[in-house]
Amino acid sequence: RLAEDGASIARVAEEAGVHRVHFSRAFTKAFGVPPSVFRRRMRALQAMSAAVEGEAAGDTAYRCGFADQSHMTRTLKDVVGLSFAPLRALGRKVTSVQD
């Protein structure tokens, strides 16, 4: 749910019928990272996929739930190690997984 539609941690906890702090602790125990880090990584992976597919940066930032294009670029650099433009260039170079 956190990765799908960007619902807040508090809302997801409420829907699960538990307190936000309890939800965060249980999530961290189950997945090894807090919900906020998980959501950030999922957004970065969605943006990375879009970049490799050749999608426009502004459209991707909006669709993946980033505040703006520069926010997406910083997050990609932190999580993946490359910003949007190099990922797009990489996507143009690779034509098949088998190549």
Side-chain angles (χ1 to χ4, degrees):
R1 176 105 160 87
L2 287 172
E4 291 172 358
D5 62 7
S8 72
I9 295 165
R11 174 168 286 171
V12 174
E14 182 182 315
E15 290 172 2
V18 296
H19 190 272
R20 182 186 53 81
V21 174
H22 175 73
F23 174 80
S24 292
R25 286 183 183 150
F27 189 97
T28 301
K29 185 176 180 180
F31 294 101
V33 294
S36 58
V37 172
F38 174 82
R39 181 175 44 208
R40 183 173 186 250
R41 288 180 182 171
M42 300 301 356
R43 285 180 179 169
L45 291 175
Q46 289 173 340
M48 180 182 71
S49 177
V52 170
E53 293 293 323
E55 196 173 305
D59 295 339
T60 300
Y62 176 77
R63 187 176 56 76
C64 293
F66 292 100
D68 55 31
Q69 194 171 328
S70 62
H71 178 219
M72 176 185 68
T73 299
R74 285 190 309 274
T75 301
L76 278 170
K77 186 83 168 167
D78 273 354
V79 173
V80 180
L82 294 171
S83 60
F84 195 84
L87 287 167
R88 270 187 87 180
L90 186 63
R92 286 192 297 270
K93 287 181 184 179
V94 177
T95 57
S96 170
V97 179
Q98 296 175 350
D99 289 345

Coordinates of all heavy atoms in Angstrom, one line a residue:
R1 N 0.8 -1.2 0.0 CA 0.0 0.0 0.0 C 0.9 1.3 0.0 O 0.5 2.2 -0.7 CB -0.9 -0.1 1.2 CG -1.8 1.1 1.4 CD -3.2 0.9 1.0 NE -4.1 1.9 1.6 CZ -4.3 3.0 1.0 NH1 -3.8 3.3 -0.1 NH2 -5.1 3.9 1.6
L2 N 1.9 1.2 0.8 CA 2.8 2.4 0.8 C 3.5 2.7 -0.6 O 3.6 3.8 -0.9 CB 4.0 2.2 1.8 CG 3.6 2.2 3.3 CD1 4.8 1.8 4.1 CD2 3.2 3.6 3.7
A3 N 3.8 1.7 -1.3 CA 4.4 1.8 -2.6 C 3.4 2.1 -3.7 O 3.7 2.8 -4.7 CB 5.2 0.6 -2.9
E4 N 2.2 1.6 -3.6 CA 1.2 1.7 -4.6 C 0.7 3.1 -4.8 O 0.7 3.6 -5.9 CB 0.1 0.7 -4.4 CG 0.5 -0.7 -4.5 CD -0.6 -1.6 -4.1 OE1 -1.7 -1.2 -3.7 OE2 -0.4 -2.9 -4.2
D5 N 0.2 3.7 -3.8 CA -0.5 5.0 -4.0 C 0.0 6.1 -3.1 O -0.6 7.1 -3.0 CB -2.0 4.8 -3.9 CG -2.5 4.4 -2.5 OD1 -1.6 4.3 -1.6 OD2 -3.6 4.1 -2.4
G6 N 1.1 5.9 -2.4 CA 1.7 6.9 -1.6 C 0.9 7.3 -0.4 O 1.0 8.4 0.1
A7 N 0.1 6.4 0.1 CA -0.7 6.7 1.3 C 0.3 7.0 2.5 O 1.4 6.5 2.6 CB -1.6 5.6 1.7
S8 N -0.1 7.9 3.4 CA 0.7 8.2 4.5 C 0.9 7.0 5.5 O 0.0 6.1 5.5 CB 0.2 9.4 5.3 OG -1.0 9.0 6.0
I9 N 2.0 7.0 6.2 CA 2.2 5.9 7.2 C 1.1 5.9 8.2 O 0.6 4.8 8.6 CB 3.6 6.1 7.8 CG1 4.7 5.9 6.7 CG2 3.8 5.1 8.9 CD1 6.1 6.4 7.1
A10 N 0.7 7.1 8.6 CA -0.4 7.2 9.6 C -1.7 6.6 9.1 O -2.4 5.8 9.8 CB -0.6 8.6 10.0
R11 N -2.0 6.8 7.8 CA -3.2 6.3 7.2 C -3.2 4.8 7.1 O -4.1 4.1 7.4 CB -3.5 6.9 5.8 CG -4.7 6.2 5.2 CD -5.1 7.0 4.0 NE -5.8 8.1 4.5 CZ -6.2 9.1 3.8 NH1 -6.0 9.1 2.5 NH2 -6.9 10.2 4.3
V12 N -2.0 4.2 6.7 CA -1.9 2.8 6.5 C -2.0 2.1 7.9 O -2.6 1.1 8.1 CB -0.5 2.4 5.9 CG1 -0.3 0.9 5.8 CG2 -0.5 3.0 4.4
A13 N -1.4 2.7 8.9 CA -1.5 2.2 10.3 C -2.9 2.2 10.8 O -3.4 1.3 11.4 CB -0.6 3.0 11.2
E14 N -3.6 3.3 10.5 CA -5.0 3.4 10.9 C -5.9 2.3 10.2 O -6.7 1.7 10.8 CB -5.6 4.8 10.5 CG -7.0 5.1 10.9 CD -7.5 6.5 10.4 OE1 -6.7 7.4 10.6 OE2 -8.6 6.5 9.9
E15 N -5.6 2.1 8.9 CA -6.4 1.1 8.2 C -6.1 -0.3 8.7 O -6.9 -1.2 8.7 CB -6.0 1.2 6.7 CG -6.6 2.4 6.0 CD -6.1 2.6 4.6 OE1 -5.3 1.7 4.1 OE2 -6.5 3.6 4.0
A16 N -4.8 -0.5 9.3 CA -4.5 -1.8 9.8 C -5.0 -1.9 11.3 O -4.9 -3.0 11.9 CB -3.0 -1.9 9.8
G17 N -5.5 -0.8 11.8 CA -6.1 -0.8 13.2 C -5.0 -0.8 14.3 O -5.3 -1.3 15.4
V18 N -3.9 -0.2 14.0 CA -2.8 -0.1 15.0 C -2.3 1.4 15.1 O -2.5 2.2 14.1 CB -1.6 -1.0 14.7 CG1 -2.1 -2.5 14.8 CG2 -1.0 -0.8 13.4
H19 N -1.6 1.7 16.1 CA -1.0 3.0 16.3 C 0.1 3.1 15.3 O 0.8 2.2 15.0 CB -0.5 3.2 17.7 CG -0.1 4.6 18.0 ND1 1.2 5.0 17.8 CD2 -0.8 5.6 18.5 CE1 1.2 6.3 18.1 NE2 0.0 6.7 18.6
R20 N 0.4 4.4 14.8 CA 1.5 4.6 13.8 C 2.8 4.1 14.3 O 3.6 3.5 13.6 CB 1.5 6.1 13.5 CG 2.5 6.5 12.5 CD 2.7 8.0 12.3 NE 2.9 8.7 13.6 CZ 4.1 8.8 14.1 NH1 5.2 8.2 13.6 NH2 4.2 9.4 15.3
V21 N 3.1 4.4 15.6 CA 4.4 3.9 16.1 C 4.5 2.4 16.2 O 5.6 1.9 15.8 CB 4.7 4.5 17.6 CG1 5.9 4.0 18.2 CG2 4.7 6.1 17.5
H22 N 3.5 1.8 16.6 CA 3.5 0.3 16.6 C 3.7 -0.2 15.1 O 4.4 -1.2 14.9 CB 2.2 -0.3 17.2 CG 2.1 -1.7 17.1 ND1 2.9 -2.6 17.9 CD2 1.4 -2.5 16.3 CE1 2.6 -3.9 17.5 NE2 1.7 -3.8 16.6
F23 N 2.9 0.4 14.2 CA 3.1 0.0 12.8 C 4.5 0.1 12.3 O 5.1 -0.8 11.7 CB 2.1 0.8 11.9 CG 2.3 0.5 10.4 CD1 1.7 -0.6 9.9 CD2 3.0 1.4 9.6 CE1 1.9 -0.8 8.5 CE2 3.2 1.2 8.3 CZ 2.6 0.0 7.7
S24 N 5.1 1.3 12.6 CA 6.5 1.5 12.1 C 7.4 0.5 12.7 O 8.3 0.0 12.0 CB 6.9 3.0 12.5 OG 6.1 3.9 11.7
R25 N 7.3 0.2 14.0 CA 8.2 -0.7 14.6 C 8.0 -2.1 14.0 O 9.0 -2.8 13.8 CB 8.0 -0.8 16.1 CG 8.5 0.4 16.8 CD 8.3 0.3 18.3 NE 8.8 1.6 19.0 CZ 8.3 2.1 20.1 NH1 7.3 1.5 20.7 NH2 8.8 3.2 20.6
A26 N 6.8 -2.5 13.9 CA 6.5 -3.9 13.3 C 7.0 -3.9 11.8 O 7.6 -5.0 11.4 CB 5.0 -4.2 13.4
F27 N 6.8 -2.9 11.1 CA 7.2 -2.9 9.7 C 8.8 -3.0 9.6 O 9.3 -3.7 8.8 CB 6.8 -1.5 9.0 CG 7.0 -1.5 7.6 CD1 6.0 -1.8 6.7 CD2 8.3 -1.1 7.0 CE1 6.2 -1.8 5.3 CE2 8.5 -1.1 5.7 CZ 7.4 -1.4 4.8
T28 N 9.4 -2.2 10.5 CA 10.9 -2.2 10.5 C 11.4 -3.6 10.9 O 12.4 -4.1 10.3 CB 11.4 -1.2 11.5 OG1 11.0 0.1 11.1 CG2 13.0 -1.1 11.5
K29 N 10.8 -4.2 11.8 CA 11.2 -5.6 12.3 C 11.0 -6.6 11.1 O 11.8 -7.4 10.9 CB 10.4 -6.0 13.5 CG 10.8 -7.3 14.0 CD 10.0 -7.7 15.3 CE 10.5 -9.0 15.9 NZ 9.8 -9.3 17.1
A30 N 9.9 -6.5 10.4 CA 9.6 -7.4 9.3 C 10.4 -7.2 8.1 O 10.8 -8.1 7.4 CB 8.1 -7.3 9.0
F31 N 10.7 -5.9 7.7 CA 11.4 -5.6 6.5 C 12.8 -5.1 6.6 O 13.5 -4.9 5.6 CB 10.5 -4.6 5.6 CG 9.2 -5.2 5.2 CD1 8.1 -4.9 5.9 CD2 9.1 -6.1 4.1 CE1 6.8 -5.4 5.5 CE2 7.9 -6.6 3.7 CZ 6.8 -6.3 4.4
G32 N 13.2 -4.8 7.8 CA 14.6 -4.4 8.0 C 14.8 -2.9 7.8 O 15.9 -2.4 8.0
V33 N 13.8 -2.2 7.4 CA 13.9 -0.7 7.2 C 12.6 -0.1 7.6 O 11.5 -0.7 7.5 CB 14.2 -0.3 5.7 CG1 15.6 -0.8 5.3 CG2 13.2 -0.8 4.8
P34 N 12.6 1.2 8.0 CA 11.4 1.9 8.4 C 10.5 2.1 7.2 O 11.0 2.1 6.0 CB 11.9 3.2 8.9 CG 13.3 3.1 9.2 CD 13.8 2.0 8.3
P35 N 9.2 2.3 7.4 CA 8.3 2.5 6.2 C 8.7 3.7 5.3 O 8.6 3.6 4.1 CB 6.9 2.7 6.9 CG 7.1 2.4 8.3 CD 8.5 2.3 8.6
S36 N 9.2 4.7 5.9 CA 9.6 5.9 5.1 C 10.7 5.6 4.2 O 10.8 6.0 3.0 CB 10.0 7.1 6.0 OG 11.1 6.7 6.9
V37 N 11.7 4.8 4.6 CA 12.8 4.4 3.8 C 12.4 3.4 2.7 O 12.7 3.5 1.5 CB 14.0 3.7 4.6 CG1 15.0 3.1 3.7 CG2 14.5 4.8 5.6
F38 N 11.5 2.5 3.0 CA 10.9 1.6 2.1 C 10.2 2.3 1.0 O 10.4 2.1 -0.2 CB 9.9 0.6 2.8 CG 9.2 -0.3 1.8 CD1 9.8 -1.4 1.4 CD2 7.9 0.0 1.4 CE1 9.1 -2.3 0.5 CE2 7.2 -0.8 0.6 CZ 7.8 -2.0 0.1
R39 N 9.3 3.3 1.3 CA 8.6 4.1 0.3 C 9.5 4.9 -0.6 O 9.3 4.9 -1.8 CB 7.6 5.0 1.0 CG 6.8 5.8 0.1 CD 5.7 6.6 0.7 NE 6.2 7.3 1.9 CZ 5.4 7.7 2.9 NH1 4.1 7.4 2.8 NH2 5.9 8.3 3.9
R40 N 10.5 5.4 0.0 CA 11.5 6.2 -0.8 C 12.2 5.3 -1.8 O 12.4 5.7 -2.9 CB 12.5 6.8 0.2 CG 13.6 7.7 -0.5 CD 14.4 8.4 0.6 NE 15.3 9.3 0.1 CZ 16.6 9.2 0.0 NH1 17.2 8.1 0.6 NH2 17.4 10.1 -0.5
R41 N 12.6 4.1 -1.4 CA 13.3 3.2 -2.3 C 12.4 2.7 -3.4 O 12.8 2.6 -4.5 CB 13.8 2.0 -1.5 CG 15.0 2.3 -0.6 CD 15.5 1.1 0.1 NE 16.6 1.4 1.0 CZ 17.1 0.6 1.9 NH1 16.6 -0.6 2.0 NH2 18.1 1.0 2.6
M42 N 11.1 2.5 -3.0 CA 10.1 2.0 -4.1 C 9.9 3.1 -5.1 O 9.8 2.8 -6.3 CB 8.8 1.6 -3.4 CG 8.9 0.5 -2.4 SD 9.5 -1.2 -2.9 CE 9.9 -1.3 -4.5
R43 N 9.8 4.4 -4.6 CA 9.6 5.5 -5.6 C 10.9 5.6 -6.5 O 10.7 5.8 -7.7 CB 9.4 6.8 -4.8 CG 8.1 6.9 -4.2 CD 7.9 8.3 -3.5 NE 6.6 8.4 -3.0 CZ 6.3 9.4 -2.1 NH1 7.1 10.2 -1.7 NH2 5.0 9.4 -1.7
A44 N 12.0 5.4 -5.9 CA 13.3 5.5 -6.7 C 13.3 4.4 -7.7 O 13.7 4.6 -8.9 CB 14.5 5.5 -5.8
L45 N 12.9 3.2 -7.4 CA 12.9 2.1 -8.3 C 11.9 2.3 -9.4 O 12.2 2.0 -10.6 CB 12.6 0.8 -7.6 CG 13.7 0.3 -6.7 CD1 13.3 -0.9 -5.9 CD2 15.0 0.0 -7.4
Q46 N 10.7 2.9 -9.1 CA 9.8 3.2 -10.2 C 10.3 4.3 -11.1 O 10.2 4.2 -12.3 CB 8.5 3.8 -9.5 CG 7.7 2.7 -8.8 CD 6.5 3.3 -8.0 OE1 6.5 4.5 -7.7 NE2 5.5 2.5 -7.7
A47 N 11.0 5.3 -10.6 CA 11.6 6.3 -11.4 C 12.7 5.8 -12.2 O 12.9 6.2 -13.4 CB 12.1 7.5 -10.5
M48 N 13.5 4.9 -11.7 CA 14.6 4.3 -12.4 C 14.1 3.5 -13.6 O 14.5 3.6 -14.7 CB 15.4 3.4 -11.5 CG 16.6 2.7 -12.2 SD 17.5 1.5 -11.2 CE 16.3 0.2 -11.1
S49 N 13.0 2.7 -13.4 CA 12.4 2.0 -14.5 C 11.9 2.9 -15.6 O 12.1 2.6 -16.7 CB 11.3 1.1 -13.9 OG 10.6 0.4 -14.9
A50 N 11.2 4.0 -15.2 CA 10.7 4.9 -16.1 C 11.8 5.6 -16.9 O 11.7 5.8 -18.1 CB 9.9 6.0 -15.4
A51 N 12.9 5.9 -16.3 CA 14.1 6.5 -16.9 C 14.6 5.6 -18.0 O 14.9 6.0 -19.1 CB 15.1 6.9 -15.9
V52 N 14.8 4.3 -17.6 CA 15.4 3.4 -18.6 C 14.4 3.2 -19.7 O 14.8 2.9 -20.9 CB 15.7 2.0 -17.8 CG1 16.0 0.9 -18.8 CG2 16.8 2.2 -16.8
E53 N 13.1 3.3 -19.5 CA 12.1 3.1 -20.6 C 12.0 4.4 -21.4 O 11.3 4.4 -22.5 CB 10.7 2.8 -20.0 CG 10.7 1.5 -19.3 CD 10.8 0.3 -20.3 OE1 10.3 0.4 -21.4 OE2 11.4 -0.7 -19.9
G54 N 12.7 5.5 -21.0 CA 12.7 6.7 -21.9 C 11.6 7.7 -21.5 O 11.4 8.6 -22.3
E55 N 10.9 7.5 -20.4 CA 9.9 8.5 -20.0 C 10.5 9.9 -19.7 O 11.6 9.9 -19.2 CB 9.2 7.9 -18.8 CG 7.8 8.6 -18.5 CD 7.1 7.9 -17.4 OE1 6.9 6.6 -17.5 OE2 6.7 8.5 -16.4
A56 N 9.7 10.9 -19.8 CA 10.2 12.3 -19.5 C 10.4 12.4 -18.0 O 9.6 11.9 -17.2 CB 9.2 13.3 -20.1
A57 N 11.4 13.2 -17.6 CA 11.7 13.4 -16.2 C 10.6 14.0 -15.4 O 10.2 13.6 -14.3 CB 13.0 14.2 -16.1
G58 N 10.0 15.1 -15.9 CA 8.9 15.8 -15.2 C 7.7 14.9 -15.0 O 7.1 14.9 -13.9
D59 N 7.3 14.2 -16.1 CA 6.2 13.2 -16.0 C 6.5 12.1 -14.9 O 5.6 11.8 -14.1 CB 5.9 12.6 -17.3 CG 5.5 13.6 -18.4 OD1 5.0 14.7 -18.0 OD2 5.6 13.2 -19.6
T60 N 7.7 11.6 -15.0 CA 8.1 10.6 -14.0 C 8.0 11.1 -12.6 O 7.5 10.4 -11.7 CB 9.5 10.0 -14.3 OG1 9.5 9.5 -15.7 CG2 9.9 9.0 -13.4
A61 N 8.6 12.3 -12.3 CA 8.6 12.8 -11.0 C 7.2 12.9 -10.4 O 6.9 12.5 -9.3 CB 9.3 14.2 -11.0
Y62 N 6.3 13.4 -11.3 CA 4.9 13.6 -10.8 C 4.2 12.2 -10.6 O 3.6 12.0 -9.6 CB 4.1 14.4 -11.9 CG 2.6 14.5 -11.6 CD1 2.2 15.4 -10.7 CD2 1.7 13.7 -12.3 CE1 0.8 15.5 -10.3 CE2 0.4 13.8 -12.0 CZ -0.1 14.7 -11.0 OH -1.4 14.8 -10.7
R63 N 4.4 11.3 -11.5 CA 3.7 10.0 -11.4 C 4.2 9.2 -10.2 O 3.5 8.4 -9.6 CB 4.0 9.2 -12.7 CG 3.2 7.9 -12.8 CD 3.4 7.2 -14.1 NE 4.7 6.9 -14.5 CZ 5.5 6.0 -14.0 NH1 5.0 5.2 -13.0 NH2 6.7 5.8 -14.4
C64 N 5.5 9.4 -9.9 CA 6.1 8.6 -8.8 C 6.0 9.2 -7.4 O 6.4 8.7 -6.4 CB 7.6 8.3 -9.1 SG 7.8 7.2 -10.5
G65 N 5.3 10.4 -7.4 CA 5.0 11.0 -6.1 C 6.1 11.9 -5.5 O 6.1 12.2 -4.3
F66 N 7.1 12.4 -6.3 CA 8.1 13.3 -5.9 C 7.6 14.7 -5.9 O 6.7 15.0 -6.7 CB 9.3 13.2 -6.7 CG 10.1 11.9 -6.6 CD1 9.9 10.9 -7.5 CD2 10.9 11.7 -5.5 CE1 10.5 9.7 -7.4 CE2 11.6 10.4 -5.4 CZ 11.4 9.4 -6.3
A67 N 8.1 15.6 -5.0 CA 7.7 17.0 -5.0 C 8.0 17.7 -6.3 O 7.2 18.5 -6.8 CB 8.4 17.7 -3.8
D68 N 9.1 17.4 -6.9 CA 9.5 18.0 -8.2 C 10.6 17.2 -8.8 O 11.1 16.2 -8.2 CB 9.9 19.5 -8.0 CG 11.0 19.7 -7.0 OD1 11.9 18.8 -6.8 OD2 11.0 20.7 -6.4
Q69 N 11.1 17.6 -9.9 CA 12.1 16.8 -10.7 C 13.4 16.8 -9.9 O 14.1 15.7 -9.9 CB 12.3 17.5 -12.0 CG 13.0 16.7 -13.0 CD 13.0 17.3 -14.4 OE1 12.0 18.0 -14.8 NE2 14.0 17.2 -15.2
S70 N 13.8 17.9 -9.3 CA 15.1 17.8 -8.6 C 15.0 16.9 -7.4 O 16.0 16.3 -7.0 CB 15.5 19.3 -8.2 OG 14.6 19.8 -7.3
H71 N 13.9 16.8 -6.7 CA 13.7 15.9 -5.6 C 13.9 14.5 -6.1 O 14.6 13.7 -5.4 CB 12.3 16.1 -5.0 CG 12.0 15.2 -3.9 ND1 10.7 14.7 -3.7 CD2 12.7 14.7 -2.8 CE1 10.7 13.9 -2.7 NE2 11.9 13.9 -2.1
M72 N 13.3 14.2 -7.2 CA 13.5 12.8 -7.8 C 14.9 12.6 -8.1 O 15.5 11.5 -7.8 CB 12.6 12.7 -9.1 CG 12.8 11.4 -9.8 SD 11.9 11.3 -11.3 CE 12.8 12.4 -12.3
T73 N 15.6 13.5 -8.7 CA 17.0 13.3 -9.1 C 17.9 13.1 -7.9 O 18.7 12.2 -7.9 CB 17.5 14.6 -9.9 OG1 16.7 14.7 -11.1 CG2 19.0 14.5 -10.3
R74 N 17.7 13.9 -6.8 CA 18.5 13.6 -5.6 C 18.2 12.3 -5.0 O 19.1 11.6 -4.6 CB 18.1 14.7 -4.6 CG 18.7 16.1 -4.8 CD 18.5 17.0 -3.7 NE 17.2 17.1 -3.1 CZ 16.2 17.9 -3.6 NH1 16.5 18.7 -4.6 NH2 15.0 17.9 -3.1
T75 N 17.0 11.9 -5.0 CA 16.6 10.6 -4.4 C 17.2 9.4 -5.3 O 17.8 8.5 -4.7 CB 15.1 10.4 -4.3 OG1 14.6 11.4 -3.5 CG2 14.7 9.0 -3.8
L76 N 17.1 9.5 -6.6 CA 17.7 8.5 -7.5 C 19.2 8.4 -7.2 O 19.8 7.4 -7.1 CB 17.5 8.9 -8.9 CG 16.1 8.5 -9.5 CD1 15.9 9.1 -10.9 CD2 16.0 7.0 -9.5
K77 N 19.9 9.6 -7.1 CA 21.3 9.6 -6.9 C 21.7 8.9 -5.5 O 22.6 8.1 -5.5 CB 21.8 11.1 -6.9 CG 23.3 11.2 -6.8 CD 23.9 11.1 -8.1 CE 25.4 11.5 -8.0 NZ 26.1 11.2 -9.1
D78 N 20.9 9.2 -4.5 CA 21.1 8.5 -3.2 C 20.8 7.0 -3.2 O 21.6 6.3 -2.7 CB 20.1 9.2 -2.2 CG 20.7 10.4 -1.5 OD1 21.9 10.7 -1.7 OD2 20.0 11.0 -0.7
V79 N 19.7 6.6 -3.8 CA 19.3 5.2 -3.7 C 19.9 4.4 -4.8 O 20.4 3.2 -4.5 CB 17.7 5.1 -3.9 CG1 17.3 3.7 -3.9 CG2 17.1 5.8 -2.7
V80 N 20.0 4.8 -6.0 CA 20.5 4.0 -7.1 C 22.0 4.3 -7.5 O 22.7 3.5 -8.0 CB 19.6 4.3 -8.4 CG1 20.1 3.4 -9.6 CG2 18.2 4.0 -8.1
G81 N 22.4 5.6 -7.2 CA 23.8 5.9 -7.5 C 23.9 6.7 -8.8 O 25.0 7.2 -9.1
L82 N 22.8 6.8 -9.5 CA 22.8 7.6 -10.8 C 21.6 8.5 -10.8 O 20.5 8.2 -10.3 CB 22.7 6.7 -12.0 CG 23.9 5.8 -12.3 CD1 23.5 4.8 -13.4 CD2 25.1 6.6 -12.7
S83 N 21.7 9.7 -11.4 CA 20.6 10.5 -11.6 C 19.8 10.1 -12.8 O 20.1 9.2 -13.5 CB 21.0 12.0 -11.7 OG 21.8 12.2 -12.8
F84 N 18.7 10.9 -13.1 CA 17.7 10.5 -14.1 C 18.4 10.4 -15.5 O 18.2 9.5 -16.3 CB 16.6 11.5 -14.1 CG 15.4 11.0 -14.9 CD1 14.5 10.1 -14.4 CD2 15.2 11.4 -16.2 CE1 13.4 9.6 -15.1 CE2 14.1 10.9 -17.0 CZ 13.2 10.1 -16.4
A85 N 19.1 11.5 -15.9 CA 19.7 11.5 -17.3 C 20.6 10.4 -17.6 O 20.5 9.8 -18.6 CB 20.4 12.9 -17.4
P86 N 21.6 10.0 -16.7 CA 22.4 8.8 -17.0 C 21.6 7.5 -17.1 O 21.9 6.6 -17.9 CB 23.4 8.8 -15.9 CG 23.4 10.1 -15.3 CD 22.1 10.7 -15.5
L87 N 20.5 7.4 -16.3 CA 19.7 6.2 -16.4 C 19.0 6.2 -17.8 O 18.8 5.1 -18.4 CB 18.7 6.2 -15.3 CG 19.3 5.9 -13.9 CD1 18.3 6.2 -12.8 CD2 19.7 4.4 -13.9
R88 N 18.5 7.3 -18.2 CA 17.9 7.4 -19.6 C 18.9 7.0 -20.6 O 18.5 6.2 -21.6 CB 17.3 8.8 -19.9 CG 15.9 8.9 -19.4 CD 15.3 10.2 -19.9 NE 14.8 10.0 -21.2 CZ 14.2 11.0 -21.9 NH1 14.1 12.2 -21.4 NH2 13.7 10.8 -23.1
A89 N 20.1 7.5 -20.5 CA 21.1 7.2 -21.5 C 21.4 5.7 -21.5 O 21.6 5.0 -22.5 CB 22.4 8.0 -21.2
L90 N 21.5 5.1 -20.3 CA 21.7 3.7 -20.2 C 20.6 2.9 -20.8 O 20.8 1.9 -21.5 CB 21.8 3.3 -18.7 CG 22.1 1.9 -18.3 CD1 23.5 1.6 -18.8 CD2 22.1 1.7 -16.8
G91 N 19.4 3.4 -20.7 CA 18.2 2.7 -21.3 C 18.3 2.7 -22.8 O 17.9 1.8 -23.5
R92 N 18.8 3.8 -23.4 CA 19.0 3.9 -24.8 C 20.1 2.9 -25.4 O 20.0 2.4 -26.5 CB 19.3 5.3 -25.3 CG 18.1 6.3 -25.2 CD 18.4 7.6 -25.9 NE 19.5 8.3 -25.2 CZ 19.3 9.2 -24.3 NH1 18.1 9.5 -23.8 NH2 20.4 9.8 -23.7
K93 N 21.1 2.7 -24.5 CA 22.2 1.8 -24.9 C 21.8 0.3 -24.9 O 22.2 -0.5 -25.7 CB 23.4 2.0 -24.0 CG 24.1 3.3 -24.3 CD 25.3 3.3 -23.3 CE 26.0 4.7 -23.5 NZ 27.1 4.8 -22.6
V94 N 21.0 -0.1 -23.9 CA 20.6 -1.5 -23.8 C 19.3 -1.7 -24.6 O 18.3 -1.1 -24.4 CB 20.3 -1.8 -22.3 CG1 19.9 -3.2 -22.1 CG2 21.6 -1.6 -21.5
T95 N 19.4 -2.6 -25.5 CA 18.3 -2.9 -26.4 C 17.6 -4.3 -26.0 O 16.5 -4.5 -26.2 CB 18.7 -3.0 -27.9 OG1 19.7 -4.0 -28.0 CG2 19.1 -1.7 -28.4
S96 N 18.4 -5.1 -25.3 CA 17.8 -6.4 -24.9 C 18.6 -6.9 -23.7 O 19.8 -6.7 -23.6 CB 18.0 -7.4 -26.0 OG 17.7 -8.7 -25.6
V97 N 17.9 -7.6 -22.8 CA 18.6 -8.2 -21.7 C 19.6 -9.2 -22.1 O 20.6 -9.5 -21.4 CB 17.5 -8.8 -20.7 CG1 18.2 -9.4 -19.5 CG2 16.5 -7.8 -20.3
Q98 N 19.4 -9.8 -23.2 CA 20.2 -10.9 -23.7 C 21.5 -10.4 -24.4 O 22.4 -11.1 -24.6 CB 19.5 -11.8 -24.6 CG 18.3 -12.5 -23.9 CD 17.5 -13.4 -24.9 OE1 17.7 -13.3 -26.1 NE2 16.6 -14.1 -24.3
D99 N 21.5 -9.1 -24.8 CA 22.7 -8.5 -25.5 C 23.9 -8.4 -24.6 O 23.9 -8.1 -23.5 CB 22.3 -7.2 -26.1 CG 21.4 -7.4 -27.3 OD1 21.3 -8.6 -27.8 OD2 20.8 -6.4 -27.8

